Amino acid sequence: MSLIFICGATATGKSDLAVALAKEIDAQVINADSMQLYKGMDIGTAKLTTEERQGVAHHLIDILNIKDDANVSWYQGFARGKIDQLLAEGKSVIVVGGTGLYIKAILDDLNFPDTDAVVRQRITDEAERLGNDLMHERLAKADPAAAMAIPKENIRRVIRALEVIELTGKPFTANLPRQESSKYPDAKQFGLVLDRQNLDQKIDKRVEDMWAKGFVNEVKHLMRDGLAQASTAKMALGYSQIMNYLNDQSDEAFAKEETKRVSRAYARRQETWFSKDERIKWLAPESMTARLEKLLASIN
């Protein structure tokens, strides 16, 4: 039995490599992408289709409705429970995704305090009054590392980070899991990396492909289900940009280019996050076959 993590920036090929590896070692896959948890968010999250999963069992995909909230503590318990169940059944497990805090929450202890309703509401009211930019500037002054990891568009996470800082008197990142207390010390982590120019080109092509597959129609459908009122799901890359277009706040060309821009920026933040974890073995930008061979050699 093995527990393997495959991480890295968006569009680096994590999902396809996980499927290829799972078929080689007879493993099952655990999703660690915060937005692939949601039903109906398929095209914009690059969720593998049933056919693309090639018969490999995938868990923690399509388990939330669009208006449901997801948080790190909830995900930690859910993911660890599924991993422990599969390992107890004698199955190997591959955790794959680009949400760094979710992966870290599986591996390491969480030190976040419970939410304080009064503090949370006060900061939320301030955010509504002052706007995303000023709240993000406040976070940058209190914890520059957290501001780098959390985009200003994700005001829910900005608010949570400010809440944790106020409750603990410490930077948000000081409350992150500690590596020395890993729950799964024998787990192996692998990261996928591409050179900057190649990654940017892949991201731009991925966005073009999403548009061709019907990304705009997907957002239209989700808006009928309440996407605009969702506190977490609407923060997914591309979804808010398309909602702005559909609400006549921009044109479609701008929505597409803005989706490319925020996706490239997100990839930079992912690279920064994962680069700090010395447990990750990085796989060079090679073919799928070459990466798979190196990964197999590292775990056997």
Side-chain angles (χ1 to χ4, degrees):
M1 292 182 302
S2 300
L3 175 58
I4 300 161
F5 289 74
I6 298 177
C7 63
T10 187
T12 51
K14 301 182 296 295
S15 297
D16 290 336
L17 180 60
V19 169
L21 176 63
K23 293 178 68 177
E24 288 287 336
I25 65 173
D26 191 25
Q28 298 190 16
V29 172
I30 301 284
N31 165 55
D33 181 309
S34 62
M35 295 302 170
Q36 290 193 9
L37 297 168
Y38 289 97
K39 301 172 186 175
M41 297 179 68
D42 303 328
I43 297 172
T45 66
K47 191 182 295 176
L48 294 185
T49 64
T50 301
E51 293 75 19
E52 289 169 334
R53 296 173 201 174
Q54 300 181 45
V56 174
H58 281 62
H59 304 278
L60 275 67
I61 287 180
D62 295 335
I63 60 173
L64 295 178
N65 293 316
I66 205 70
K67 290 185 179 180
D68 293 337
D69 273 344
N71 60 62
V72 180
S73 179
W74 166 84
Y75 176 83
Q76 181 192 55
F78 204 150
R80 283 182 171 183
K82 178 57 68 173
I83 290 169
D84 291 345
Q85 173 195 331
L86 293 174
L87 292 176
E89 293 172 357
K91 298 179 174 66
S92 290
V93 178
I94 302 168
V95 179
V96 59
T99 304
L101 189 54
Y102 277 22
I103 290 176
K104 204 163 182 59
I106 293 174
L107 285 165
D108 304 319
D109 286 340
L110 273 176
N111 301 297
F112 295 128
D114 291 335
T115 188
D116 183 301
V118 175
V119 174
R120 169 68 67 90
Q121 189 59 54
R122 175 169 50 76
I123 297 174
T124 300
D125 292 343
E126 290 174 355
E128 291 178 354
R129 186 175 71 253
L130 299 175
N132 292 19
D133 288 344
L134 287 178
M135 298 302 289
H136 196 263
E137 288 176 11
R138 181 185 298 182
L139 179 60
K141 291 177 182 177
D143 189 346
M148 181 180 294
I150 303 172
K152 66 181 180 181
E153 293 83 6
N154 196 339
I155 192 62
R156 177 174 171 271
R157 286 190 62 201
V158 171
I159 290 169
R160 175 56 176 160
L162 290 170
E163 178 192 13
V164 169
I165 291 169
E166 182 165 334
L167 292 175
T168 64
K170 301 176 182 178
F172 178 73
T173 47
N175 294 279
L176 291 177
R178 295 184 174 86
Q179 294 181 12
E180 61 267 22
S181 57
S182 178
K183 173 175 171 59
Y184 302 104
D186 296 328
K188 296 186 177 181
Q189 293 188 71
F190 297 89
L192 305 190
V193 63
L194 294 173
D195 65 86
R196 183 63 53 81
Q197 182 177 2
N198 192 12
L199 180 57
D200 286 351
Q201 290 174 351
K202 282 185 173 293
I203 289 172
D204 288 352
K205 183 180 184 303
R206 171 179 278 194
V207 172
E208 292 287 348
D209 290 345
M210 287 174 175
W211 242 260
K213 291 176 180 176
F215 192 6
V216 173
N217 285 331
E218 177 172 282
V219 176
K220 282 182 182 177
H221 179 78
L222 292 171
M223 287 176 71
R224 291 196 292 269
D225 292 338
L227 179 63
Q229 291 74 47
S231 58
T232 302
K234 69 179 180 183
M235 299 300 178
L237 298 175
Y239 288 82
S240 60
Q241 287 74 23
I242 293 177
M243 280 197 293
N244 287 340
Y245 155 57
L246 294 173
N247 289 327
D248 296 323
Q249 296 173 350
S250 71
D251 60 28
E252 185 172 5
F254 179 83
K256 183 189 292 185
E257 291 307 310
E258 187 67 3
T259 298
K260 293 177 182 178
R261 185 191 68 78
V262 297
S263 297
R264 292 193 296 265
Y266 178 59
R268 307 287 188 271
R269 291 193 295 273
Q270 288 175 301
E271 289 173 335
T272 299
W273 177 280
F274 289 119
S275 68
K276 296 177 181 178
D277 194 332
E278 297 180 353
R279 296 170 294 184
I280 296 174
K281 178 180 178 63
W282 292 97
L283 301 177
E286 300 175 302
S287 68
M288 169 75 74
T289 301
R291 280 174 162 174
L292 179 59
E293 289 176 352
K294 288 186 176 179
L295 205 160
L296 287 168
S298 296
I299 64 176
N300 291 331

